[in-house]
Amino acid sequence: MALSRDQMAIRIARELQDGYYVNLGIGIPTLVANHVPEGMEVMLQSENGLLGMGPYPTEDEVDADLINAGKQTVTTAKGASIFSSAESFAMIRGGHVDLTVLGAFEVDAQGSIASWMIPGKLIKGMGGAMDLVAGADNIIVTMTHADKYGNSKLLPECTLPLTGAGCIKQVLTDLAYLEIYDGKFHLVERAPGVSVEEIIEKTAGELVVPDHVPEMEF
Amino acid sequence: MAGFDKVVNTYEEAMAGLEDGMTVISGGFGICGIPENLIKEIKKMGTKELTIVSNNCGCDGLGLGILLDDRQIKKMVSSYVGENKLFEEQLLSGVLEVELTPQGTLAEKMRAAGAGIPAFYTATGYGTDIAKGKDVREFNGRKYILEESIPGDFAIVKAWKADRYGNAIYRHTAQNFNPMAATAGKITVMEVEEIVEPGELDPAQIHTPGIYVDRLIQGTFEKRIEIRTVREG
């Protein structure tokens, strides 16, 4: 079975470490915040200028001056700090954020990522995504392995305009956990009940498959 | 106005001197921390052919979005513009030019402009479409692209409190792009919720020193919320 969105978030949460500063993108990455292991302290960075994002506010706590990068109302966590956009991207570009999780349309075997624009459709902008992929060393991309027509999103070379070139080393899809190095995808884990054959079939870029590919456990 | 006192009493005075074709740098993220009333004044003035540098372009009927109604904007320099329909129409029909800029690069372009730095190298965007035509240099084995700073004829910003000298404090994430925008205008106009006397604010807590601020005005703000997300109390 392909992983559910929540299972994908749970799997990514296993990459968290105590004391990590983490930037979570919109969509599945946001769900990771719900699965921080008990007893672990993680500080969430929001690129509009907040380090230490708390849960959504109660109706009484809603404050128009306190939002996240998705423009949603939020709260601050204990120990939070607030700063300007320049400061926020200084910590992103300076490599101070320990883990970045974001979605994508395509990733290729060179570690390039396309996530912000589909030609012919309206271009809304890259927001902070280009800065995040250029600045972070530890990035996990999360997306479905193939589109709804069955076309692979793990490609020899991205077909869409890039967000960043050669910057992605880890991908979690609904079918597998993969690493990227030496110009190839390397299969690390598979979703429970998903065969290696299915992953091979749905990976267009060159894929290295070890003798034993463990199943993820939930 | 005398000495360091930056206070003006009307929005007409606050935006006096804005002319067709000028570049205006605006603070704000989405519709959080935007200089609502200064934008309304630009609409009232009817100034045209403006280049607006701002992370976003407001929503339909709010913030910078209202300057689209009468086609006052020639060009937007932004990182994300997905919030309003009129924007989409004008973009597709070619009335409006858009220069999409990564968010961190945009913040740095404003900061650098205010700090007298004409351009800087960044890894952001290297190898992507936005790097086209830009100088590339390698430092310590990594490739970087040259990005130019953006000075504005006017900067319009919104702060929470300021003293009459323009020393200002922002509230929560309404800070966002405002401190950099404040440094980047030949004329910087700041609107605030409350003006206090010099000496009332703790000097060590000031976000924007008054040296950057040319005109200061107190206003009332709608502060609409774009996406209201709540949990059960």
Side-chain angles (χ1 to χ4, degrees):
Chain A
M1 274 286 284
L3 300 182
S4 66
R5 287 163 58 88
D6 243 347
Q7 284 176 315
M8 290 172 79
I10 290 166
R11 176 62 193 85
I12 291 166
R14 291 177 189 160
E15 301 300 312
L16 297 172
Q17 291 183 27
D18 198 25
Y20 256 21
Y21 295 102
V22 181
N23 184 290
L24 301 175
I26 292 164
I28 292 168
T30 302
L31 300 176
V32 174
N34 301 334
H35 301 288
V36 177
E38 197 77 22
M40 186 181 281
E41 285 197 300
V42 165
M43 195 85 86
L44 300 177
Q45 205 257 14
S46 187
E47 60 265 31
N48 58 319
L50 170 59
L51 185 61
M53 187 167 38
Y56 294 135
T58 60
E59 199 60 54
D60 293 343
E61 291 170 334
V62 167
D63 187 331
D65 288 337
L66 187 52
I67 64 168
N68 64 17
K71 301 178 180 105
Q72 300 170 312
T73 47
V74 289
T75 57
T76 52
K78 193 177 65 180
S81 54
I82 290 174
F83 33 80
S84 73
S85 299
E87 186 73 48
S88 184
F89 282 93
M91 61 184 73
I92 289 167
R93 291 165 176 230
H96 303 278
V97 176
D98 297 299
L99 175 66
T100 292
V101 185
L102 77 169
F105 302 136
E106 297 174 346
V107 170
D108 72 26
Q110 278 68 46
S112 295
I113 172 173
S115 67
W116 72 281
M117 173 187 176
I118 298 176
K121 292 197 178 174
L122 182 72
I123 305 158
K124 294 188 171 183
M126 69 291 283
M130 284 193 181
D131 304 280
L132 283 160
V133 299
D137 193 41
N138 191 11
I139 305 168
I140 301 175
V141 169
T142 175
M143 60 182 191
T144 56
H145 209 96
D147 68 18
K148 59 184 173 183
Y149 307 107
N151 299 312
S152 180
K153 295 182 178 181
L154 281 69
L155 304 174
E157 199 170 333
C158 287
T159 62
L160 297 169
L162 296 184
T163 309
C167 50
I168 305 301
K169 295 171 193 158
Q170 303 168 83
V171 183
L172 178 81
T173 72
D174 53 341
L175 303 182
Y177 186 73
L178 307 101
E179 291 179 353
I180 304 173
Y181 52 89
D182 298 336
K184 300 180 180 93
F185 292 103
H186 297 257
L187 184 54
V188 179
E189 292 172 21
R190 58 198 167 95
V194 170
S195 69
V196 169
E197 288 69 29
E198 181 180 352
I199 295 165
I200 292 172
E201 186 198 333
K202 289 184 175 166
T203 307
E206 190 173 348
L207 177 67
V208 177
V209 182
D211 293 341
H212 176 65
V213 182
E215 279 189 12
M216 296 172 202
E217 287 175 22
F218 291 96
Chain B
M1 218 187 326
F4 297 110
D5 193 338
K6 310 291 173 71
V7 176
V8 296
N9 294 310
T10 67
Y11 278 92
E12 288 81 4
E13 277 179 85
M15 291 310 296
L18 181 71
E19 292 172 11
D20 291 357
M22 280 187 166
T23 296
V24 179
I25 300 189
S26 177
F29 183 92
I31 51 171
C32 180
I34 56 171
E36 296 179 14
N37 303 298
L38 296 173
I39 295 166
K40 283 180 193 159
E41 180 60 25
I42 296 174
K43 182 173 172 66
K44 206 172 113 196
M45 292 168 79
T47 323
K48 305 261 188 202
E49 298 280 303
L50 296 171
T51 294
I52 305 280
V53 184
S54 167
N55 191 55
N56 314 90
C57 190
C59 314
D60 288 315
L62 187 70
L64 291 164
I66 65 172
L67 301 183
L68 296 169
D69 300 344
D70 303 317
R71 298 186 174 182
Q72 289 178 264
I73 306 176
K74 181 183 73 174
K75 181 179 175 182
M76 280 299 301
V77 181
S78 303
S79 87
Y80 192 84
V81 290
E83 289 92 357
N84 68 65
K85 289 198 178 63
L86 196 52
F87 190 96
E88 184 174 338
E89 277 173 34
Q90 294 190 8
L91 181 61
L92 294 174
S93 68
V95 171
L96 183 64
E97 191 186 331
V98 179
E99 185 177 324
L100 289 172
T101 304
Q103 200 172 125
T105 296
L106 186 64
E108 196 65 13
K109 278 171 176 267
M110 293 183 193
R111 197 196 70 80
I117 298 168
F120 56 91
Y121 283 97
T122 177
T124 298
Y126 170 74
T128 74
D129 287 350
I130 69 144
K132 280 179 185 160
K134 290 175 183 162
D135 185 39
V136 175
R137 259 190 78 177
E138 191 173 314
F139 298 93
N140 301 317
R142 190 156 186 217
K143 300 257 180 47
Y144 297 80
I145 61 173
L146 186 67
E147 293 279 7
E148 292 183 20
S149 64
I150 313 180
D153 296 299
F154 270 74
I156 53 173
V157 298
K158 151 82 184 22
W160 178 34
K161 286 183 187 180
D163 66 24
R164 301 179 71 88
Y165 291 0
N167 296 303
I169 294 173
Y170 304 94
R171 188 168 176 275
H172 299 326
T173 59
Q175 180 172 167
N176 55 61
F177 281 83
N178 282 297
M180 289 78 66
T183 68
K186 277 190 206 126
I187 295 174
T188 290
V189 188
M190 174 181 279
E191 61 172 336
V192 296
E193 294 173 44
E194 187 184 354
I195 295 176
V196 301
E197 291 303 316
E200 284 189 41
L201 301 174
D202 179 352
Q205 301 297 319
I206 299 296
H207 292 122
T208 291
I211 192 170
Y212 295 114
V213 179
D214 297 292
R215 302 172 189 169
L216 177 67
I217 187 164
Q218 185 172 310
T220 54
F221 298 85
E222 185 183 343
K223 290 214 242 181
R224 209 187 292 171
I225 291 172
E226 196 164 347
I227 304 176
R228 189 185 193 91
T229 41
V230 293
R231 69 187 151 90
E232 296 298 315

